[in-house]
Amino acid sequence: MSLVRLNIKGISYSQTQNGAYALILNEVDGDRKLPIVIGAFEAQSIAIALEKEIKPPRPLTHDLFKNFADRFDIVVKQVIIHKLVDGVFFSSLICERDKIEEIIDTRTSDAIALALRFQAPIFTYKNILDKAGIFLKVETDEDNQDDDNILIEGILNENIDVDTTPEDSYSSFSLDDLQNLLTEAVNNEDYEKAAKIRDEISKR
């Protein structure tokens, strides 16, 4: 079976369901996207690896794994999303130490978080992309963005059942206040809150 390389397009969180996140992977040589529902902690870890602005005061679990692997000369060479069963993606880390290759089973969200830290490529098989890949419009007009958001919401609502509580609103805060809140959230290791504050700062 042929492998298809994927890049990370971004993380989308549900506007209607608190705690629901979708990691969107983009086909490198095509237009299909692979949406994967992930947990809040993993979403935070991936977002921190993507956004260099937020630096945790203490290493997260995935940072600890990277530090441990570096100390013992273990390298993650690539990540392969190799199976899809009942909406759940299964992945493998292809690791190498002393020119000996090992394959380690892992959750896809953890695999992506580690791939970012090791700068390792991400792949899936063509048949998985054929089965689960979707087309999201790339145009920038608002109508198309709304269509994409509705589609992402549908994916999240279909796969996750969580309590719905209103999200904190930061629209009334000044930029200085937001920067202070961001620093406080990072120091408290509340990375979900930090990500939301960072999003509000980006909107400004």
Side-chain angles (χ1 to χ4, degrees), residues 137-189:
K137 301 179 184 69
V138 295
E139 291 87 356
T140 56
D141 74 59
E142 292 180 3
D143 289 340
N144 286 331
Q145 286 184 341
D146 289 342
D147 289 344
D148 290 352
N149 290 336
I150 290 168
L151 185 54
I152 294 299
E153 284 292 319
I155 293 164
L156 291 166
N157 293 339
E158 190 176 292
N159 286 279
I160 288 187
D161 182 20
V162 294
D163 293 332
T164 55
T165 54
E167 294 182 359
D168 295 330
S169 174
Y170 299 102
S171 57
S172 60
F173 288 88
S174 69
L175 274 176
D176 286 341
D177 289 338
L178 288 172
Q179 292 289 355
N180 291 333
L181 286 171
L182 178 60
T183 301
E184 181 182 341
V186 171
N187 289 337
N188 292 334
E189 301 188 17

Side-chain angles (χ1 to χ4, degrees), residues 104-151:
I104 300 174
D105 182 43
T106 176
R107 297 186 308 166
T108 298
S109 53
D110 290 328
I112 302 300
L114 291 172
L116 282 168
R117 287 163 171 80
F118 282 90
Q119 298 182 335
I122 303 162
F123 296 94
T124 192
Y125 289 109
K126 182 179 180 297
N127 65 321
I128 292 178
L129 199 56
D130 290 341
K131 182 177 179 181
I134 60 174
F135 287 93
L136 295 182
K137 301 179 184 69
V138 295
E139 291 87 356
T140 56
D141 74 59
E142 292 180 3
D143 289 340
N144 286 331
Q145 286 184 341
D146 289 342
D147 289 344
D148 290 352
N149 290 336
I150 290 168
L151 185 54

Side-chain angles (χ1 to χ4, degrees), residues 13-32:
Y13 60 85
S14 173
Q15 301 292 333
T16 59
Q17 298 207 46
N18 193 38
Y21 292 82
L23 171 67
I24 310 299
L25 301 176
N26 186 68
E27 183 182 15
V28 170
D29 296 320
D31 297 323
R32 286 176 295 182

Side-chain angles (χ1 to χ4, degrees), residues 67-74 97:
N67 295 339
F68 182 90
D70 288 346
R71 185 67 58 90
F72 290 94
D73 297 321
I74 300 167
R97 180 173 184 264

